[in-house]
Each structure stands twice: as C-alpha cells, then as structure tokens.
Coordinates of all heavy atoms in Angstrom, one line a residue:
M1 N 304.1 166.5 271.5 CA 304.0 165.9 272.8 C 303.1 164.7 272.6 O 302.0 164.8 272.0 CB 303.4 166.9 273.7 CG 303.2 166.4 275.1 SD 302.5 167.6 276.3 CE 302.9 169.2 275.7
Q2 N 303.5 163.6 273.1 CA 302.7 162.3 273.0 C 302.7 161.6 274.3 O 303.7 161.5 275.0 CB 303.3 161.5 271.9 CG 302.4 160.3 271.6 CD 302.9 159.5 270.4 OE1 303.6 160.1 269.6 NE2 302.5 158.3 270.3
G3 N 301.6 161.1 274.7 CA 301.4 160.4 275.9 C 300.5 159.2 275.7 O 300.2 158.9 274.5
R4 N 300.1 158.5 276.7 CA 299.1 157.4 276.5 C 298.1 157.5 277.6 O 298.3 158.0 278.7 CB 299.8 156.1 276.5 CG 300.4 155.7 277.9 CD 301.1 154.3 277.8 NE 301.9 154.1 278.9 CZ 301.4 153.6 280.1 NH1 300.1 153.3 280.2 NH2 302.2 153.4 281.1
I5 N 296.9 157.1 277.3 CA 295.8 157.0 278.2 C 296.0 155.8 279.1 O 296.0 154.7 278.6 CB 294.4 157.0 277.5 CG1 294.3 158.3 276.7 CG2 293.3 156.8 278.5 CD1 293.0 158.3 275.8
E6 N 296.0 156.0 280.4 CA 296.2 154.9 281.3 C 294.8 154.4 281.8 O 294.6 153.2 282.0 CB 296.9 155.4 282.5 CG 297.5 154.3 283.4 CD 298.5 154.9 284.3 OE1 298.1 155.5 285.4 OE2 299.7 154.7 284.1
Q7 N 293.8 155.3 281.9 CA 292.5 154.9 282.3 C 291.5 155.9 281.9 O 291.7 157.1 282.0 CB 292.4 154.7 283.8 CG 291.0 154.2 284.3 CD 291.0 153.7 285.7 OE1 291.7 152.8 286.1 NE2 290.1 154.3 286.5
V8 N 290.3 155.5 281.4 CA 289.2 156.3 281.1 C 288.2 156.1 282.3 O 287.9 154.9 282.6 CB 288.5 155.9 279.8 CG1 287.2 156.7 279.5 CG2 289.5 156.1 278.6
S9 N 287.7 157.1 282.9 CA 286.9 157.0 284.1 C 285.6 157.7 284.0 O 285.5 158.9 283.5 CB 287.6 157.5 285.4 OG 288.8 156.8 285.5
I10 N 284.5 157.1 284.5 CA 283.2 157.8 284.5 C 282.5 157.5 285.9 O 283.0 156.6 286.6 CB 282.3 157.3 283.4 CG1 282.0 155.8 283.5 CG2 282.9 157.7 282.0 CD1 281.0 155.3 282.4
S11 N 281.4 158.2 286.2 CA 280.7 157.8 287.4 C 279.2 158.2 287.2 O 278.8 159.0 286.3 CB 281.3 158.6 288.6 OG 280.6 159.7 288.9
K12 N 278.4 157.6 288.0 CA 276.9 158.0 288.0 C 276.7 159.2 288.9 O 275.6 159.6 289.1 CB 276.1 156.8 288.6 CG 276.2 155.5 287.7 CD 275.6 155.7 286.4 CE 275.8 154.5 285.6 NZ 275.5 154.7 284.2
G13 N 277.7 159.8 289.4 CA 277.7 161.0 290.2 C 278.6 160.9 291.3 O 278.5 159.9 292.1
G14 N 279.6 161.8 291.5 CA 280.5 161.8 292.6 C 281.8 161.0 292.3 O 282.0 160.7 291.1
V15 N 282.6 160.9 293.3 CA 283.9 160.2 293.2 C 284.0 159.1 294.2 O 283.2 159.1 295.2 CB 285.0 161.2 293.4 CG1 285.1 162.2 292.4 CG2 284.9 161.9 294.8
P16 N 284.8 158.1 293.9 CA 285.7 158.0 292.8 C 284.9 157.6 291.5 O 283.9 157.0 291.6 CB 286.7 156.9 293.2 CG 285.9 156.0 294.1 CD 284.9 156.9 294.8
K17 N 285.5 158.0 290.4 CA 285.0 157.5 289.1 C 285.6 156.1 288.9 O 286.7 155.8 289.5 CB 285.4 158.5 288.0 CG 284.7 159.8 288.1 CD 285.0 160.7 287.0 CE 284.4 162.1 287.2 NZ 283.0 162.2 286.6
V18 N 285.0 155.3 288.1 CA 285.5 154.0 287.9 C 285.9 153.8 286.4 O 285.4 154.5 285.5 CB 284.4 152.9 288.2 CG1 284.0 152.9 289.6 CG2 283.1 153.1 287.3
G19 N 286.9 153.0 286.3 CA 287.5 152.7 284.9 C 286.6 152.0 284.0 O 285.9 151.1 284.5
V20 N 286.5 152.4 282.8 CA 285.8 151.7 281.7 C 286.7 151.5 280.5 O 287.7 152.2 280.4 CB 284.5 152.5 281.3 CG1 283.5 152.6 282.4 CG2 284.9 153.9 280.8
R21 N 286.4 150.5 279.7 CA 287.3 150.2 278.6 C 287.3 151.3 277.6 O 288.4 151.6 277.0 CB 286.8 148.9 277.9 CG 287.6 148.4 276.8 CD 287.3 147.0 276.4 NE 287.9 146.7 275.1 CZ 289.2 146.3 275.0 NH1 290.0 146.3 276.0 NH2 289.6 146.0 273.8
E22 N 286.2 152.0 277.4 CA 286.2 153.1 276.4 C 284.9 153.9 276.7 O 284.0 153.4 277.4 CB 286.2 152.6 275.0 CG 285.0 151.8 274.6 CD 285.1 151.2 273.2 OE1 286.2 151.1 272.6 OE2 284.0 150.9 272.6
A23 N 284.9 155.1 276.2 CA 283.7 156.0 276.4 C 283.7 157.0 275.2 O 284.7 157.5 274.8 CB 283.7 156.8 277.7
W24 N 282.5 157.2 274.7 CA 282.3 158.2 273.6 C 282.4 159.6 274.2 O 281.7 159.9 275.2 CB 281.0 157.9 272.9 CG 280.8 158.8 271.7 CD1 281.2 158.6 270.5 CD2 280.0 160.0 271.7 NE1 280.8 159.6 269.7 CE2 280.1 160.5 270.4 CE3 279.3 160.7 272.6 CZ2 279.5 161.7 270.0 CZ3 278.7 161.9 272.3 CH2 278.8 162.3 270.9
A25 N 283.2 160.5 273.6 CA 283.3 161.9 274.0 C 282.5 162.7 273.0 O 282.6 162.6 271.8 CB 284.7 162.3 274.0
G26 N 281.6 163.5 273.6 CA 280.8 164.4 272.8 C 280.7 165.8 273.5 O 281.4 166.1 274.4
P27 N 279.8 166.7 273.0 CA 279.7 168.0 273.5 C 279.3 168.1 275.0 O 279.6 169.1 275.6 CB 278.6 168.6 272.6 CG 278.5 167.8 271.4 CD 278.9 166.4 271.9
L28 N 278.8 167.1 275.5 CA 278.4 167.1 277.0 C 279.3 166.3 277.8 O 279.0 166.0 279.0 CB 276.9 166.6 277.1 CG 275.9 167.4 276.4 CD1 274.5 166.8 276.6 CD2 275.9 168.9 276.9
G29 N 280.5 165.9 277.3 CA 281.5 165.1 278.0 C 281.5 163.7 277.6 O 281.1 163.4 276.5
L30 N 281.9 162.8 278.5 CA 281.9 161.4 278.2 C 280.6 160.7 278.5 O 279.9 161.0 279.5 CB 283.0 160.7 279.1 CG 284.4 161.1 278.9 CD1 285.3 160.2 279.9 CD2 284.9 160.9 277.5
A31 N 280.2 159.9 277.5 CA 278.9 159.2 277.7 C 279.0 158.3 278.9 O 280.0 157.7 279.2 CB 278.7 158.3 276.5
G32 N 277.9 158.4 279.8 CA 277.8 157.6 281.0 C 278.4 158.3 282.2 O 278.4 157.8 283.3
D33 N 279.0 159.5 282.0 CA 279.6 160.3 283.1 C 278.6 161.3 283.6 O 278.2 162.2 282.9 CB 280.9 160.9 282.7 CG 281.6 161.5 283.9 OD1 281.6 160.9 285.0 OD2 282.2 162.6 283.7
F34 N 278.1 161.2 284.8 CA 277.1 162.1 285.4 C 277.5 162.8 286.6 O 278.6 162.5 287.2 CB 275.8 161.2 285.7 CG 275.2 160.5 284.5 CD1 275.5 159.2 284.3 CD2 274.4 161.2 283.6 CE1 275.0 158.5 283.2 CE2 273.9 160.5 282.5 CZ 274.2 159.2 282.3
H35 N 276.7 163.8 287.0 CA 277.0 164.6 288.2 C 275.9 164.5 289.2 O 274.7 164.4 288.8 CB 277.2 166.1 287.8 CG 278.3 166.3 286.8 ND1 279.6 166.2 287.2 CD2 278.3 166.5 285.5 CE1 280.4 166.4 286.1 NE2 279.6 166.6 285.1
R36 N 276.2 164.6 290.4 CA 275.1 164.6 291.5 C 274.3 165.9 291.4 O 273.1 165.9 291.8 CB 275.7 164.4 292.8 CG 276.2 163.0 293.1 CD 276.5 162.8 294.5 NE 277.1 161.5 294.7 CZ 277.9 161.1 295.6 NH1 278.2 162.0 296.5 NH2 278.3 159.9 295.7
N37 N 274.9 167.0 291.1 CA 274.2 168.3 291.1 C 274.4 169.0 289.7 O 275.2 169.8 289.6 CB 274.8 169.1 292.2 CG 273.9 170.3 292.5 OD1 273.1 170.7 291.6 ND2 274.0 170.9 293.7
P38 N 273.5 168.6 288.7 CA 273.6 169.1 287.4 C 273.3 170.6 287.4 O 273.6 171.3 286.4 CB 272.7 168.3 286.6 CG 271.8 167.7 287.5 CD 272.5 167.5 288.8
K39 N 272.7 171.2 288.4 CA 272.5 172.6 288.5 C 273.8 173.4 288.4 O 273.9 174.5 287.8 CB 271.8 173.0 289.7 CG 271.5 174.5 289.9 CD 270.7 174.8 291.1 CE 270.5 176.3 291.3 NZ 269.8 176.6 292.5
Y40 N 274.9 172.8 289.0 CA 276.2 173.5 289.0 C 277.3 172.8 288.1 O 278.3 173.4 287.9 CB 276.7 173.6 290.4 CG 275.8 174.3 291.3 CD1 274.9 173.7 292.2 CD2 275.7 175.7 291.2 CE1 274.1 174.4 293.0 CE2 274.8 176.5 292.0 CZ 274.0 175.8 292.9 OH 273.1 176.5 293.7
H41 N 277.0 171.6 287.7 CA 278.0 170.9 286.9 C 277.4 170.4 285.6 O 276.2 170.1 285.6 CB 278.6 169.7 287.7 CG 279.2 170.1 289.0 ND1 280.4 170.6 289.1 CD2 278.7 170.0 290.3 CE1 280.7 170.9 290.4 NE2 279.7 170.5 291.1
G42 N 278.2 170.2 284.6 CA 277.8 169.7 283.4 C 277.4 170.7 282.4 O 277.7 171.9 282.5
G43 N 276.7 170.2 281.3 CA 276.3 171.1 280.2 C 277.3 171.2 279.1 O 278.3 170.6 279.2
P44 N 277.0 172.0 278.1 CA 277.9 172.1 277.0 C 279.3 172.6 277.3 O 280.2 172.4 276.5 CB 277.2 173.0 276.0 CG 276.1 173.6 276.7 CD 275.8 172.8 278.0
A45 N 279.5 173.3 278.4 CA 280.8 173.8 278.7 C 281.5 172.9 279.8 O 282.4 173.3 280.4 CB 280.7 175.3 279.3
K46 N 281.0 171.7 279.9 CA 281.5 170.8 280.9 C 283.0 170.5 280.6 O 283.4 170.3 279.5 CB 280.7 169.5 280.8 CG 281.1 168.4 281.7 CD 280.2 167.2 281.5 CE 280.6 166.0 282.3 NZ 279.7 164.9 282.1
A47 N 283.7 170.3 281.7 CA 285.1 170.0 281.6 C 285.3 168.5 281.4 O 284.5 167.7 281.9 CB 285.8 170.4 282.9
L48 N 286.4 168.2 280.7 CA 286.9 166.8 280.7 C 288.2 166.9 281.4 O 289.2 167.5 281.0 CB 287.1 166.4 279.2 CG 287.6 165.0 278.9 CD1 286.5 164.0 279.3 CD2 287.9 164.8 277.5
L49 N 288.3 166.3 282.6 CA 289.4 166.4 283.5 C 290.5 165.4 283.2 O 290.2 164.2 283.1 CB 288.9 166.3 284.9 CG 289.9 166.5 286.0 CD1 290.6 167.8 285.9 CD2 289.3 166.3 287.4
L50 N 291.7 165.8 283.1 CA 292.9 165.0 282.9 C 293.7 165.1 284.1 O 293.8 166.2 284.7 CB 293.7 165.4 281.7 CG 293.2 165.1 280.3 CD1 292.1 166.0 279.9 CD2 294.4 165.2 279.4
I51 N 294.4 164.0 284.5 CA 295.4 164.0 285.5 C 296.5 163.1 285.1 O 296.3 162.1 284.3 CB 294.9 163.6 286.9 CG1 295.8 164.0 288.0 CG2 294.5 162.1 286.9 CD1 295.2 164.0 289.4
S52 N 297.7 163.4 285.5 CA 298.9 162.6 285.1 C 299.1 161.4 286.1 O 299.0 161.6 287.3 CB 300.2 163.4 285.0 OG 300.7 163.7 286.2
G53 N 299.4 160.3 285.5 CA 299.7 159.1 286.3 C 300.9 159.4 287.2 O 301.0 158.9 288.3
E54 N 301.8 160.2 286.6 CA 303.0 160.5 287.4 C 302.7 161.3 288.6 O 303.3 161.0 289.7 CB 304.0 161.3 286.5 CG 304.6 160.5 285.4 CD 303.8 160.5 284.1 OE1 302.6 161.0 284.1 OE2 304.3 160.1 283.0
D55 N 301.7 162.2 288.6 CA 301.3 163.0 289.7 C 300.6 162.0 290.8 O 300.8 162.2 292.0 CB 300.4 164.1 289.4 CG 301.1 165.2 288.7 OD1 302.4 165.3 288.8 OD2 300.5 166.1 288.0
L56 N 299.8 161.1 290.3 CA 299.2 160.1 291.2 C 300.3 159.3 291.9 O 300.2 159.0 293.1 CB 298.2 159.2 290.5 CG 296.9 159.9 290.0 CD1 296.1 158.9 289.2 CD2 296.1 160.5 291.1
D57 N 301.3 158.9 291.2 CA 302.4 158.1 291.8 C 303.1 158.9 292.9 O 303.4 158.4 293.9 CB 303.5 157.8 290.7 CG 303.1 156.8 289.7 OD1 302.0 156.1 289.9 OD2 303.7 156.8 288.6
E58 N 303.3 160.2 292.6 CA 303.9 161.1 293.6 C 303.1 161.2 294.9 O 303.6 161.1 296.0 CB 304.2 162.5 293.0 CG 305.0 163.4 293.9 CD 305.3 164.7 293.2 OE1 305.5 164.7 292.0 OE2 305.3 165.7 294.0
L59 N 301.7 161.4 294.7 CA 300.8 161.5 295.8 C 300.8 160.2 296.6 O 300.8 160.2 297.9 CB 299.4 161.8 295.4 CG 299.2 163.3 294.9 CD1 297.9 163.4 294.2 CD2 299.4 164.2 296.0
R60 N 300.8 159.0 295.9 CA 300.9 157.7 296.6 C 302.2 157.6 297.4 O 302.2 157.1 298.6 CB 300.8 156.6 295.7 CG 299.3 156.2 295.3 CD 299.2 154.9 294.6 NE 299.9 154.9 293.3 CZ 299.3 155.4 292.1 NH1 298.1 155.9 292.2 NH2 300.0 155.4 291.0
G61 N 303.3 158.1 296.8 CA 304.6 158.1 297.5 C 304.6 159.0 298.8 O 305.4 158.7 299.7
E62 N 303.7 159.9 298.8 CA 303.6 160.8 300.0 C 302.6 160.2 301.0 O 302.3 160.9 302.0 CB 303.2 162.2 299.6 CG 304.3 162.9 298.8 CD 303.9 164.3 298.3 OE1 302.8 164.8 298.7 OE2 304.6 164.8 297.5
G63 N 302.0 159.0 300.7 CA 301.2 158.4 301.7 C 299.7 158.5 301.4 O 298.9 158.0 302.2
F64 N 299.3 159.1 300.3 CA 297.9 159.3 300.0 C 297.4 158.0 299.3 O 298.0 157.4 298.5 CB 297.6 160.4 299.0 CG 297.8 161.8 299.7 CD1 299.1 162.4 299.6 CD2 296.8 162.4 300.4 CE1 299.3 163.6 300.2 CE2 297.0 163.6 301.0 CZ 298.2 164.3 300.9
D65 N 296.2 157.5 299.8 CA 295.6 156.3 299.2 C 294.8 156.8 298.0 O 293.6 157.1 298.2 CB 294.7 155.6 300.3 CG 294.1 154.3 299.8 OD1 294.6 153.8 298.7 OD2 293.1 153.9 300.4
I66 N 295.4 156.8 296.9 CA 294.8 157.4 295.7 C 295.1 156.6 294.4 O 296.1 156.0 294.4 CB 295.3 158.9 295.5 CG1 294.4 159.7 294.6 CG2 296.8 158.9 295.2 CD1 294.7 161.2 294.8
G67 N 294.2 156.6 293.5 CA 294.4 155.9 292.3 C 293.6 156.5 291.1 O 293.0 157.6 291.3
A68 N 293.7 156.0 289.9 CA 293.0 156.5 288.8 C 291.5 156.7 289.1 O 290.9 155.7 289.6 CB 293.3 155.7 287.6
G69 N 291.0 157.8 288.9 CA 289.6 158.1 289.1 C 289.2 158.7 290.5 O 288.2 159.2 290.7
S70 N 290.2 158.6 291.4 CA 290.0 159.0 292.8 C 289.6 160.5 292.9 O 288.9 160.9 293.7 CB 291.2 158.8 293.6 OG 291.4 157.4 293.8
L71 N 290.2 161.3 292.0 CA 290.0 162.8 292.1 C 288.9 163.3 291.2 O 288.7 164.5 291.0 CB 291.3 163.5 291.8 CG 292.4 163.2 292.8 CD1 293.7 163.9 292.4 CD2 292.0 163.6 294.2
G72 N 288.2 162.4 290.5 CA 287.1 162.7 289.6 C 287.6 163.0 288.2 O 286.8 163.5 287.4
E73 N 288.8 162.6 287.9 CA 289.3 162.8 286.5 C 288.7 161.8 285.6 O 288.4 160.7 285.9 CB 290.8 162.7 286.5 CG 291.4 161.4 286.6 CD 291.6 160.9 288.1 OE1 291.1 161.6 289.0 OE2 292.2 159.9 288.3
N74 N 288.5 162.2 284.3 CA 288.0 161.4 283.3 C 289.1 160.6 282.6 O 288.9 159.5 282.1 CB 287.2 162.2 282.2 CG 286.0 162.9 282.8 OD1 286.0 164.1 282.9 ND2 285.0 162.1 283.2
L75 N 290.3 161.2 282.4 CA 291.4 160.6 281.7 C 292.6 160.6 282.6 O 293.0 161.7 283.0 CB 291.7 161.2 280.4 CG 290.6 161.2 279.3 CD1 291.1 162.0 278.1 CD2 290.3 159.8 279.0
T76 N 293.2 159.5 282.9 CA 294.5 159.4 283.6 C 295.5 159.1 282.5 O 295.3 158.1 281.8 CB 294.5 158.3 284.7 OG1 293.4 158.5 285.6 CG2 295.8 158.3 285.4
V77 N 296.5 160.0 282.3 CA 297.4 159.8 281.2 C 298.8 159.8 281.8 O 299.1 160.2 282.9 CB 297.3 161.0 280.2 CG1 295.9 161.1 279.6 CG2 297.6 162.4 280.9
R78 N 299.7 159.3 280.9 CA 301.1 159.2 281.3 C 301.9 159.7 280.1 O 301.6 159.5 279.0 CB 301.5 157.7 281.5 CG 302.2 157.6 282.9 CD 302.4 156.1 283.2 NE 301.8 155.8 284.4 CZ 302.2 156.2 285.6 NH1 303.3 157.0 285.7 NH2 301.6 155.9 286.7
G79 N 303.0 160.4 280.4 CA 304.0 160.8 279.4 C 303.7 162.2 278.9 O 304.3 162.7 277.9
I80 N 302.8 163.0 279.5 CA 302.5 164.3 279.0 C 303.0 165.3 280.1 O 302.7 165.1 281.3 CB 300.9 164.5 278.8 CG1 300.5 163.7 277.7 CG2 300.6 166.0 278.6 CD1 299.0 163.7 277.4
D81 N 303.8 166.2 279.7 CA 304.3 167.3 280.6 C 303.2 168.4 280.8 O 303.1 169.2 279.9 CB 305.6 167.8 280.1 CG 306.2 168.8 281.0 OD1 305.6 169.2 282.1 OD2 307.4 169.3 280.7
F82 N 302.5 168.3 281.8 CA 301.4 169.3 282.1 C 301.9 170.7 282.1 O 301.1 171.6 281.9 CB 300.6 168.9 283.3 CG 299.6 167.8 283.1 CD1 299.9 166.6 282.5 CD2 298.3 168.0 283.5 CE1 299.0 165.6 282.3 CE2 297.3 167.0 283.3 CZ 297.7 165.8 282.7
R83 N 303.1 170.9 282.4 CA 303.7 172.3 282.5 C 303.7 172.9 281.1 O 303.8 174.1 280.9 CB 305.1 172.3 283.1 CG 305.1 171.8 284.6 CD 306.5 171.6 285.1 NE 307.0 170.5 284.2 CZ 308.2 170.0 284.4 NH1 309.0 170.5 285.3 NH2 308.6 169.0 283.6
Q84 N 303.7 172.1 280.1 CA 303.7 172.5 278.7 C 302.3 172.9 278.1 O 302.2 173.4 277.0 CB 304.4 171.5 277.8 CG 305.8 171.1 278.2 CD 306.8 171.9 277.5 OE1 306.6 172.4 276.5 NE2 308.0 172.0 278.2
L85 N 301.3 172.5 278.8 CA 299.9 172.7 278.3 C 299.5 174.1 278.5 O 299.8 174.7 279.5 CB 298.9 171.7 279.0 CG 299.2 170.2 278.9 CD1 298.2 169.4 279.6 CD2 299.3 169.8 277.4
R86 N 298.8 174.6 277.5 CA 298.3 176.0 277.6 C 296.8 176.0 277.2 O 296.3 175.2 276.5 CB 299.0 176.9 276.6 CG 300.5 177.0 276.9 CD 300.8 177.8 278.2 NE 302.2 177.9 278.4 CZ 302.9 177.1 279.3 NH1 302.3 176.1 279.9 NH2 304.2 177.2 279.5
E87 N 296.1 177.0 277.7 CA 294.7 177.2 277.4 C 294.5 177.2 275.9 O 295.3 177.8 275.2 CB 294.2 178.5 278.0 CG 292.7 178.8 277.8 CD 292.3 180.1 278.4 OE1 292.9 180.5 279.4 OE2 291.2 180.6 278.0
G88 N 293.5 176.5 275.4 CA 293.2 176.5 274.0 C 293.9 175.4 273.2 O 293.5 175.1 272.1
M89 N 294.8 174.7 273.9 CA 295.5 173.6 273.2 C 294.5 172.4 273.0 O 293.6 172.3 273.7 CB 296.7 173.1 274.0 CG 297.8 174.0 274.0 SD 299.2 173.4 275.0 CE 300.0 172.3 273.8
R90 N 294.7 171.7 271.9 CA 293.9 170.5 271.6 C 294.7 169.3 271.6 O 295.9 169.4 271.2 CB 293.2 170.7 270.2 CG 292.2 171.9 270.3 CD 291.6 172.1 268.9 NE 290.8 173.3 269.0 CZ 289.7 173.4 268.2 NH1 289.4 172.5 267.4 NH2 289.0 174.5 268.3
M91 N 294.1 168.2 272.0 CA 294.8 166.9 272.0 C 293.9 165.9 271.4 O 292.7 166.0 271.4 CB 295.1 166.4 273.4 CG 296.1 167.2 274.2 SD 296.4 166.3 275.7 CE 296.3 167.7 276.8
R92 N 294.5 164.9 270.8 CA 293.7 163.8 270.3 C 293.8 162.7 271.4 O 294.8 162.3 271.8 CB 294.3 163.3 269.0 CG 293.5 162.1 268.4 CD 293.9 161.7 267.0 NE 293.7 162.8 266.1 CZ 292.5 163.2 265.6 NH1 291.4 162.5 266.0 NH2 292.4 164.1 264.7
A93 N 292.6 162.1 271.7 CA 292.5 161.0 272.6 C 291.7 160.0 271.9 O 290.4 160.1 271.8 CB 291.8 161.5 273.9
G94 N 292.3 159.0 271.4 CA 291.6 158.0 270.5 C 291.1 158.7 269.3 O 291.8 159.4 268.6
D95 N 289.8 158.6 269.0 CA 289.2 159.3 267.9 C 288.7 160.7 268.2 O 288.2 161.4 267.3 CB 288.0 158.5 267.3 CG 288.5 157.2 266.7 OD1 289.7 157.1 266.2 OD2 287.7 156.2 266.7
A96 N 288.8 161.1 269.5 CA 288.2 162.4 269.9 C 289.3 163.5 269.9 O 290.5 163.2 270.3 CB 287.7 162.3 271.3
V97 N 289.0 164.7 269.6 CA 289.8 165.8 269.8 C 289.3 166.6 271.0 O 288.1 167.0 271.0 CB 289.9 166.7 268.5 CG1 290.7 168.0 268.8 CG2 290.4 165.9 267.3
I98 N 290.2 166.7 272.0 CA 289.7 167.4 273.2 C 290.6 168.7 273.4 O 291.6 168.8 272.9 CB 289.8 166.5 274.4 CG1 291.3 165.9 274.6 CG2 288.9 165.3 274.3 CD1 291.5 165.2 275.9

C-alpha cells in the first residue's frame, strides 16, 4: 500500500493544527506539536493521528467547512485505504517509521 502525505500539521495546543513543511517524529510525537492539557494528552504513548484527504473531501461535499488539520490530525494523506489498516501495522512517512 502506498500513499502520499498531503499535509503535516502541528499546533501549540488545540485545533485546528497548522501545516508545516516538515516535522521531526520522535517518541513523543511530532516536534512542535503540543497539547493544552498534557495531564491527559501526550507522553511516550502519544498518538500520531492520520486522516485521509479523501474523507475530508467527502465531509466538504456534505457541507462541512473542514480542511487539513481541522480535526487535529498530524498527517493528512491520500491514496491509503484505511479499511486495510490494522493495529500494529507500520508505515514509513519520510524517514520516520510510524
């Protein structure tokens, strides 16, 4: 399965996240991506959220004013069939394995 990254998004806390050219991925998530309430979010088990650009297109078609980063996702991707993804699968995103 192969797709492409449409946008990498980070925020200083909250949504929407904003697009950046690139971000380093490490054990605590993407560099520069923060949470308003670190008591409940973040840490070494922090999620790296992906959403499909195709799903955003569908939501826009239904009248939602939504774009990359709107839902708090870190990576907006295209060409990946999310129905095929399973727990424990790994993907390469640039130089990072997620």
Side-chain angles (χ1 to χ4, degrees):
M1 183 178 335
Q2 185 170 340
R4 67 179 170 83
I5 298 172
E6 198 167 78
Q7 181 168 302
V8 177
S9 303
I10 62 172
S11 99
K12 297 296 180 192
V15 293
K17 292 183 184 272
V18 296
V20 294
R21 182 167 169 77
E22 61 184 26
W24 184 82
L28 299 178
L30 294 182
D33 189 38
F34 300 99
H35 301 283
R36 285 191 185 155
N37 194 338
K39 179 178 178 183
Y40 299 105
H41 300 283
K46 179 179 175 179
L48 182 66
L49 182 59
L50 281 78
I51 197 165
S52 76
E54 292 88 351
D55 286 341
L56 291 177
D57 293 344
E58 187 174 325
L59 288 168
R60 277 191 297 275
E62 293 177 11
F64 291 92
D65 184 17
I66 197 166
S70 294
L71 299 176
E73 72 277 7
N74 297 110
L75 298 177
T76 305
V77 299
R78 235 175 236 286
I80 294 176
D81 184 354
F82 277 51
R83 296 168 299 180
Q84 305 266 335
L85 300 181
R86 299 292 179 263
E87 183 177 337
M89 290 180 79
R90 294 176 186 211
M91 293 188 226
R92 179 168 300 283
D95 292 332
V97 176
I98 57 173

